[in-house]
Amino acid sequence: MHVQEWLETIPAVSIYLLVGLVIAVESLGIPLPGEIVLVSSALLASQHGDINPYILGACASAGAVIGDSIGYAIGRKGGRPLLAWCAAKFPKHFGDAQVAMAERSFQKWGVWAVFFGRFVALLRIFAGPLAGVLRMPYWKFLIANVLGGIVWAGGTTAVVYSVGVVAEAWLKRFSWLGLLLAVLIGLVSMLVLRNRAKKAAERMDSAKEEPAPVAGESDAVPVGD
């Protein structure tokens, strides 16, 4: 069952809480599909009027800010040993290469790494804990955290919701055109595959009809005296 299909089976209030919780847990450093859940929920909101996109965006933003703040506190207290423990538990996400890349981003961009890290899956997991490990001043982290969380969560919700509304209206209005286009694509694909299969069969037949070389014959050019 896909995420969106599963979300359709639970009440709107539960969706708000689920989105906020998943994003919060992801932001504090545990790899979860926060962006997938948010996009699926925003798309679902565009198709069902009982899900308010403003509340959804607010819950997502709150989860992002709170989760990152908890991650910062954990990273500041745990330090480097925490990264080593995470590497042992989640080697695909907290391996040496991933940690090194995140640290280079922080060294290059500083506080902006927290803001823009929201839009990169790996940095979204790392931003809070790594900022704490690197002892970034909390007030700087908090500003970037709040702004990044609102822009990412609220912006993603708004964009996906708007696209979903437009797409649904377009499909309802031009459903026959979509069906016709699908049929045409299917026919063209079938003809192309049939043509390729025919050419391949012809090449195999021509290869079988070629006479086999006679033993002892040579194409070598005779050498003169």
Side-chain angles (χ1 to χ4, degrees):
M1 180 181 292
H2 296 292
V3 174
Q4 189 172 353
E5 294 176 351
W6 178 73
L7 290 173
E8 291 178 352
T9 64
I10 62 179
V13 176
S14 299
I15 292 177
Y16 301 144
L17 295 175
L18 177 68
V19 169
L21 180 61
V22 171
I23 291 177
V25 173
E26 180 191 39
S27 298
L28 65 84
I30 298 177
L32 287 181
E35 192 168 39
I36 294 176
V37 172
L38 177 59
V39 169
S40 299
S41 300
L43 189 60
L44 187 63
S46 69
Q47 302 169 359
H48 298 274
D50 54 341
I51 302 175
N52 190 312
Y54 295 101
I55 299 178
L56 181 66
C59 291
S61 300
V65 173
I66 294 172
D68 242 15
S69 297
I70 297 175
Y72 175 91
I74 294 174
R76 192 174 181 89
K77 185 175 182 180
R80 293 285 176 177
L82 175 65
L83 293 180
W85 181 85
C86 290
K89 294 293 182 181
F90 308 103
K92 292 184 179 180
H93 297 87
F94 289 89
D96 293 338
Q98 289 83 355
V99 172
M101 189 194 78
E103 287 187 336
R104 285 195 299 270
S105 300
F106 269 74
Q107 292 171 358
K108 183 176 182 180
W109 302 104
V111 71
W112 288 106
V114 177
F115 179 87
F116 290 111
R118 284 290 177 191
F119 302 89
V120 182
L122 179 63
L123 287 180
R124 189 161 55 248
I125 299 172
F126 269 112
L130 191 56
V133 170
L134 298 178
R135 301 283 176 172
M136 178 181 290
Y138 181 70
W139 67 270
K140 290 184 177 180
F141 169 80
L142 182 61
I143 293 175
N145 178 29
V146 171
L147 293 178
I150 292 175
V151 172
W152 172 72
T156 300
T157 302
V159 170
V160 174
Y161 177 82
S162 301
V163 170
V165 170
V166 172
E168 186 178 18
W170 189 89
L171 289 174
K172 286 182 179 179
R173 186 175 179 182
F174 301 103
S175 57
W176 61 270
L177 182 61
L179 178 61
L180 178 61
L181 182 62
V183 172
L184 288 176
I185 292 175
L187 288 174
V188 171
S189 301
M190 182 182 66
L191 291 175
V192 170
L193 290 175
R194 180 181 295 178
N195 186 42
R196 289 185 177 180
K198 183 179 179 181
K199 289 183 178 180
E202 290 176 352
R203 285 195 297 268
M204 292 179 65
D205 292 339
S206 61
K208 291 178 180 179
E209 292 174 357
E210 290 180 358
V214 179
E217 288 186 354
S218 175
D219 294 329
V221 178
V223 180
D225 294 332

